[in-house]
Amino acid sequence: MNPIDTYLPDFGHYLRLERGLSQNTLEGYSRDIRHLAEFLEDDPRQAITEETLHAFLASLHDLGLGPASQARVVAALRSFFHYLVAEGISDSDPTVLLESPKVGRMLPDVLSVEEIDAMLAAIPADKAESPRNRAIVEMLYGSGLRVSELCDLRISRLAVADAMVIIEGKGSKQRIVPVSPAAMQCIGEYLPHRPEPKNGAEDILFLNRRGNRLTRVMIFLIIKQLAEAAGIDKSVSPHTLRHSFATHLLEGGANLRAIQQMLGHESIATTEIYVHLDTTHLRRQLLEHHPHYRK
């Protein structure tokens, strides 16, 4: 076994318990460190220096790994070597001067209200899963949930009288999110058709036909198929509905801090991407309606 592999279980505990990172992040970081171990297979006991890590990142670049993915690998490396130093396993941290690749901030696709209505209209009226799928779309767009949060949505955390839901987001951090009247109505219509839950899924809101919780992949497929059925020529995913939720709120005059709280962003800088989206919308309005812009 490569020496690095021996530290991965305790590194995982460190990420979960001390850093409070999500299971997805934990798995991604562990996978990145295993790739480093594979890179060092020819000489696993060599001293790992900044040059070694630059060579490792260069090998990932040669394999076609993009800047965003490389930046995640750098974050994993920093966390791992910080852990080794903190535990007294290593005397030095070779990532101190390691720079992340520059990642351009790409603006996500946003659906119009008409396109979201078209997706809802594309849900067949006569299928058993239709009430569930309608509620899924309304919750993603009406509350801005992450797909992982939707999968883990609990009936016990849904306050029907107050139209609120308690969401457990990244790092097991909880937040209270309003639920739109349309989403509440759809949930009410879905519950009588909800399948008998299997053991462990009794409190999970959205289930598949066998009574198990829906997977993220299944929700991606549901949204993708509805977008295609609605004739939407965009790359549409559950995150597209989340982006549309935030963008439409901002366009309607909502406070950026309020949007940050509803989305569960730890930093306001993450939420500020929607300012750029709104600026694009405003410029388009100027080009279409202001007389000097039409010259």
Side-chain angles (χ1 to χ4, degrees):
M1 177 184 288
N2 191 297
I4 287 179
D5 291 328
T6 63
Y7 303 126
L8 281 178
D10 287 340
F11 176 55
H13 295 316
Y14 162 78
L15 292 177
R16 184 185 298 109
L17 300 177
E18 295 193 29
R19 296 280 305 280
L21 299 184
S22 69
Q23 184 65 27
N24 288 339
T25 302
L26 188 155
E27 291 173 359
Y29 278 18
S30 296
R31 186 166 54 249
D32 292 334
I33 300 306
R34 279 195 295 272
H35 288 159
L36 174 63
E38 292 169 3
F39 177 77
L40 298 172
E41 273 184 349
D42 291 339
D43 188 5
R45 297 189 179 278
Q46 67 171 296
I48 301 176
T49 64
E50 183 184 342
E51 289 72 24
T52 308
L53 298 182
H54 276 300
F56 170 56
L57 292 172
S59 73
L60 297 178
H61 176 77
D62 291 342
L63 291 173
L65 203 68
S69 297
Q70 290 181 48
R72 189 207 63 230
V73 174
V74 171
L77 294 173
R78 285 175 177 156
S79 293
F80 181 65
F81 285 100
H82 177 82
Y83 159 76
L84 294 181
V85 171
E87 293 296 314
I89 299 169
S90 176
D91 294 326
S92 61
D93 183 353
T95 69
V96 172
L97 300 177
L98 195 66
E99 293 184 357
S100 293
K102 300 298 182 183
V103 180
R105 175 169 280 183
M106 296 181 63
L107 299 182
D109 280 329
V110 175
L111 298 176
S112 66
V113 176
E114 292 74 19
E115 286 173 325
I116 291 168
D117 288 341
M119 287 179 62
L120 289 166
I123 299 174
D126 56 349
K127 291 193 174 181
E129 65 270 19
S130 293
R132 180 202 66 191
N133 292 353
R134 195 171 292 109
I136 284 173
V137 174
E138 288 287 3
M139 284 302 296
L140 288 170
Y141 174 61
S143 296
L145 303 186
R146 299 179 177 95
V147 65
S148 57
E149 295 169 348
L150 187 83
C151 291
D152 197 45
L153 202 57
R154 308 296 175 112
I155 296 174
S156 62
R157 294 176 181 170
L158 189 64
V160 176
D162 298 321
M164 296 281 187
V165 64
I166 298 173
I167 300 297
E168 187 166 305
K170 289 185 175 180
S172 299
K173 294 180 180 178
Q174 291 188 344
R175 67 185 190 278
I176 297 175
V177 177
V179 180
S180 70
M184 290 301 306
Q185 179 180 338
C186 288
I187 290 172
E189 293 170 354
Y190 158 65
L191 285 174
H193 302 279
R194 180 173 172 266
E196 187 69 25
K198 292 289 180 65
N199 288 341
E202 292 85 357
D203 197 28
I204 299 297
L205 178 58
F206 293 118
L207 304 176
N208 62 24
R209 64 184 65 184
R210 294 181 296 278
N212 296 313
R213 74 169 69 202
L214 285 174
T215 64
R216 291 187 301 161
V217 172
M218 190 62 206
I219 293 174
F220 268 90
L221 287 174
I222 290 169
I223 298 303
K224 180 179 174 62
Q225 290 168 359
L226 287 178
E228 290 175 352
I232 298 172
D233 188 22
K234 294 177 181 177
S235 178
V236 180
S237 72
H239 288 288
T240 311
L241 295 176
R242 177 173 161 88
H243 295 318
S244 302
F245 162 82
T247 303
H248 294 170
L249 277 178
L250 189 63
E251 290 176 355
N255 180 275
L256 196 63
R257 289 284 181 186
I259 297 173
Q260 177 193 2
Q261 291 176 355
M262 284 185 280
L263 292 175
H265 287 160
E266 187 171 339
S267 169
I268 191 69
T270 309
T271 318
E272 283 174 348
I273 188 173
Y274 299 105
V275 174
H276 298 286
L277 285 167
D278 193 46
T279 301
T280 302
H281 167 77
L282 291 175
R283 177 164 179 78
R284 186 169 61 249
Q285 293 296 305
L286 282 169
L287 289 171
E288 291 177 359
H289 302 296
H290 194 286
H292 284 194
Y293 280 80
R294 294 202 304 267
K295 287 184 177 180

